Amino acid sequence: MSDNPVDMRDGSAVGARELLARAAAAELRAYRGLMVAVEDFFLPEEARLDEHSRAGLAALLRGLVETVEGEIREHAVRLLTGRGEAELVGALIEPDTAVLARLWSSGLLRDGELMAELIARVRQEMLGTALPMSAPDDPERPSLINRFVQHPDRVVAASAMAVLIAESRRRTSPEVGQFQTELPAELHHKLVWWTAAALREGVEGINEALDRALCDAAQRSLAAYDEGDRLEAAAMRFAAAIDAQPGELSGMLVESLGDRRVVLFIALLAHAMSVPYALARDLVLDPAAERLWLALRALEIGREGVAQIGYALSEADPRRDLEKFADTLDTIAAIAPAEARNALAPLRLDPDYRAARIALQRGGAK
């Protein structure tokens, strides 16, 4: 009896070669894992997602993919059933590979624009949840958004109600069955087609009937999607409808944070600055906040308003330094509005132009 655990007789050489190949692959996996660990170790703390953010991001990503997957699969199954393709229906209902796992392993979910949107959305939600709740001077006074629901101007009232409806929809869990992606249209478009392709990959061989059903189902999902239903879009319409004047803006910004409605705060800021929502969100979520302080001064928000906003954000975000903010408050308040507006002028340039300049800088162009 041979002492060699890998017997080379009777064709066992093939098994040995396979074992060696697996060993080589394991070595490569170990090296790649080491490189990931090294990269993670040298990441600056401010760039690393905390565990709460990672968990929120994973849950959001799972909810988005499973929602889109459910829509496409359900409609494709209906189409195939109507076309008498019972075998394909079974294969589609029980695929070999989970869609989320396939998209994850493919690297498609590393899309920079998608992840930037999802990370911002998670941080926005965390910030809103952690904001200190401030008691109103009059306990019986409704919150800012609820007051405008009863506004005599029908446009204002309707836009306020739309925000409340969008808030309710955003809080819906994927398990309830009414969850929506609420992504910008171009990102929803990507996710739909990625998901359809991943569903198709779960069924082997050339099959025109399945391809056609999945394409039809994806097109249906895209046609039914309305980017204007997003909470952020509803908040921007509300901000435009009320069009807060300089004497009103500071109070509304402070009150929206007191109501823990960070989306409304960002929308009011974006409208007042005449910039897109996503840009204003970047200013608000940036823990350093230098651009936010300039924006507030450019909008002629006084020292008290800046102090209330800075305190609320510092209390809600552990990445912010409250003592440092307090030390710089007088400096912030001393900035002339005109000077602040000049400093922020590049933010009002065409977004595609700004994106192109940033892309050049990231590429190391001189």
Side-chain angles (χ1 to χ4, degrees):
M1 182 176 178
S2 174
D3 293 331
N4 188 350
V6 182
D7 196 337
M8 301 297 288
R9 295 172 297 177
D10 299 326
S12 295
V14 175
R17 285 197 296 271
E18 182 179 346
L19 184 61
L20 290 172
R22 289 179 182 176
E27 185 177 12
L28 180 58
R29 284 198 307 272
Y31 174 76
R32 288 173 176 169
L34 173 63
M35 290 301 98
V36 170
V38 170
E39 287 294 324
D40 180 72
F41 178 77
F42 284 102
L43 276 177
E45 284 301 317
E46 60 271 19
R48 182 178 284 109
L49 289 176
D50 60 81
E51 289 304 314
H52 191 186
S53 299
R54 288 174 63 88
L57 181 59
L60 176 58
L61 188 57
R62 183 181 304 108
L64 296 179
V65 172
E66 291 180 353
T67 295
V68 174
E69 177 188 356
E71 285 181 0
I72 296 175
R73 187 199 307 277
E74 180 181 348
H75 190 61
V77 164
R78 187 182 305 123
L79 292 173
L80 290 169
T81 300
R83 296 166 186 173
E85 300 283 357
E87 186 176 344
L88 288 177
V89 168
L92 196 57
I93 291 176
E94 297 182 7
D96 295 334
T97 306
V99 168
L100 178 58
R102 183 65 189 98
L103 293 180
W104 190 286
S105 64
S106 72
L108 286 174
L109 295 179
R110 291 177 177 266
D111 181 85
E113 291 182 355
L114 174 65
M115 294 311 296
E117 175 66 25
L118 299 189
I119 291 171
R121 187 158 140 188
V122 167
R123 285 179 167 161
Q124 174 181 275
E125 181 66 25
M126 290 172 56
L127 182 64
T129 302
L131 281 169
M133 183 70 78
S134 61
D137 297 332
D138 181 359
E140 297 184 0
R141 189 187 189 199
S143 67
L144 175 66
I145 197 72
N146 283 300
R147 291 202 307 275
F148 280 100
V149 169
Q150 305 297 328
H151 199 279
D153 186 322
R154 288 183 297 174
V155 173
V156 172
S159 63
M161 180 57 72
V163 171
L164 292 177
I165 293 171
E167 282 181 340
S168 176
R169 186 168 53 242
R170 175 65 62 85
R171 289 192 295 266
T172 301
S173 169
E175 288 76 17
V176 175
Q178 297 178 337
F179 185 79
Q180 297 185 19
T181 66
E182 294 208 35
L183 291 171
E186 63 275 13
L187 296 181
H188 179 79
H189 185 275
K190 284 183 181 181
L191 189 57
V192 165
W193 287 116
W194 290 346
T195 302
L199 282 168
R200 176 62 180 88
E201 198 176 70
V203 182
E204 294 182 358
I206 299 173
N207 196 303
E208 184 181 350
L210 179 57
D211 288 329
R212 190 169 62 251
L214 287 172
C215 285
D216 290 346
Q219 291 285 7
R220 177 179 179 271
S221 178
L222 294 174
Y225 188 71
D226 186 353
E227 185 180 25
D229 289 340
R230 300 175 65 222
L231 173 57
E232 291 80 1
M236 285 297 290
R237 290 195 298 271
F238 172 72
I242 60 175
D243 193 23
Q245 298 304 298
E248 306 169 321
L249 182 60
S250 180
M252 288 185 177
L253 289 172
V254 171
E255 190 175 356
S256 61
L257 289 182
D259 291 340
R260 289 181 169 176
R261 285 193 161 95
V262 69
V263 174
L264 182 57
F265 174 86
I266 296 171
L268 290 168
L269 181 67
H271 177 74
M273 293 179 64
S274 300
V275 300
Y277 180 93
L279 178 54
R281 181 177 61 189
D282 288 345
L283 269 60
V284 173
L285 296 181
D286 180 4
E290 289 94 346
R291 294 177 301 169
L292 176 59
W293 309 142
L294 283 175
L296 295 177
R297 290 302 297 137
L299 297 172
E300 302 184 23
I301 306 298
R303 186 184 190 280
E304 182 180 356
V306 173
Q308 290 175 300
I309 291 168
Y311 172 77
L313 294 177
S314 297
E315 285 289 292
D317 188 346
R319 300 176 300 162
R320 300 173 192 260
D321 189 333
L322 180 57
E323 291 186 3
K324 182 179 179 181
F325 168 69
D327 291 341
T328 57
L329 178 58
D330 289 336
T331 302
I332 296 168
I335 298 173
E339 184 181 0
R341 284 191 286 271
N342 287 336
L344 293 176
L347 296 182
R348 295 190 176 88
L349 296 173
D350 186 285
D352 290 334
Y353 174 72
R354 292 184 61 251
R357 293 197 62 187
I358 292 171
L360 283 173
Q361 292 166 6
R362 286 174 180 165
K366 300 297 183 181

